[in-house]
Amino acid sequence: MLYRELLLSNVFCSQCRGAVEIVEYSGAMVKGDLILKGKCGTCGRNVARLVEGS
Ligand SMILES: [Zn+2]
């Protein structure tokens, strides 16, 4: 659970040029991997993150 929270606060935003927190996200499973789509908590730009299934 802690690891999951770490992922959610470490999403790369191309506009902020760094790791940001993802907000208003939703997840989708694609071929065993979880893809999180949401918005940058800093600038509001759409961001996405792939969370690899193990
Ligand atoms: Zn941003």
Side-chain angles (χ1 to χ4, degrees):
M1 196 57 96
L2 207 61
Y3 180 62
R4 184 183 178 92
E5 290 177 6
L6 184 67
L7 287 174
L8 293 176
S9 61
N10 190 27
V11 178
F12 183 80
C13 174
S14 58
Q15 182 153 302
C16 298
R17 297 182 181 279
V20 299
E21 182 177 5
I22 187 172
V23 297
E24 298 179 30
Y25 61 86
S26 59
M29 292 298 294
V30 179
K31 296 179 181 177
D33 294 327
L34 176 64
I35 298 190
L36 291 174
K37 292 182 179 179
K39 294 181 178 180
C40 169
T42 302
C43 72
R45 186 188 181 92
N46 289 333
V47 293
R49 175 165 186 132
L50 171 68
V51 182
E52 292 181 25
S54 49

